[in-house]
Amino acid sequence: MGSRKEADYLPTMLGSTVSGVLARFPFHPIDTCKSRLQTQLWLSENSRTHKIYYGLPDAARTIWKREGLRGLYRGFGPTAFGSAPASCIYFTTYELSKDFLTRKVGGEGDAFHVHFLSGLTAETVSCVLWVPIDVVKERMQIQRVPDPKSVKPGSLY
């Protein structure tokens, strides 16, 4: 099997960059609700441990009523900014690893060990970028607006 040229990876790089952002857009509100559900007792009001949300639908309704669309998409900026390069790095590293392993280790490009090691390599490399961005996103998602009426346009809340 011959070596691929750099230009051969361009469709993978472009496709993964665009899809990385587009795939996260419809599911970000669900991720925000999940983050709030996971941290609700830790961030409870008045130092009391009581539930703020009772399941995913209730979390979505409560956040929508209290904070609107902005609340459901809190943290999407870092997600959009980071998911494009992280997805590009993941899929390009996967393809490069797969081609490298097929040439060096031998076997077919669809052999289990080639896919396994390529996926492991790609995940490790992309996590170097994605994990810090994900931490920022999660911290933004769990922020609560003290009083939605007091929030001024353009503020971080």
Side-chain angles (χ1 to χ4, degrees):
M1 174 175 202
S3 176
R4 286 168 53 174
K5 298 177 194 169
E6 287 180 20
D8 293 340
Y9 296 104
L10 190 59
T12 298
M13 294 171 75
L14 292 175
S16 60
T17 298
V18 172
S19 67
V21 175
L22 293 178
R24 284 172 177 76
F25 185 74
F27 296 103
H28 191 80
I30 296 169
D31 191 44
T32 299
C33 293
K34 174 209 55 113
S35 296
R36 298 275 185 101
L37 282 164
Q38 288 176 326
T39 60
Q40 69 178 338
L41 295 179
W42 179 65
L43 293 173
S44 64
E45 299 167 6
N46 302 328
S47 299
R48 295 187 136 153
T49 54
H50 66 280
K51 288 188 173 187
I52 301 168
Y53 312 111
Y54 296 92
L56 190 65
D58 182 57
R61 272 191 305 275
T62 303
I63 296 168
W64 176 261
K65 277 199 309 195
R66 182 154 190 216
E67 303 172 46
L69 191 61
R70 178 181 253 175
L72 289 170
Y73 277 94
R74 182 164 284 115
F76 188 71
T79 299
F81 180 74
S83 63
S87 295
C88 179
I89 289 169
Y90 176 86
F91 286 107
T92 304
T93 302
Y94 180 86
E95 291 295 326
L96 286 167
S97 297
K98 192 171 83 166
D99 291 345
F100 175 81
L101 289 169
T102 301
R103 278 194 322 274
K104 297 295 180 186
V105 178
E108 296 296 317
D110 60 351
F112 173 78
H113 69 281
V114 171
H115 286 291
F116 178 79
L117 292 173
S118 297
L120 182 67
T121 303
E123 186 67 22
T124 302
V125 171
S126 69
C127 278
V128 170
L129 177 66
W130 185 244
V131 170
I133 292 167
D134 199 47
V135 169
V136 171
K137 173 201 68 140
E138 290 276 338
R139 288 183 178 215
M140 290 178 76
Q141 285 177 318
I142 62 172
Q143 288 180 351
R144 291 186 175 60
V145 177
D147 178 12
K149 293 178 179 120
S150 68
V151 176
K152 296 176 182 162
S155 68
L156 290 177
Y157 278 109

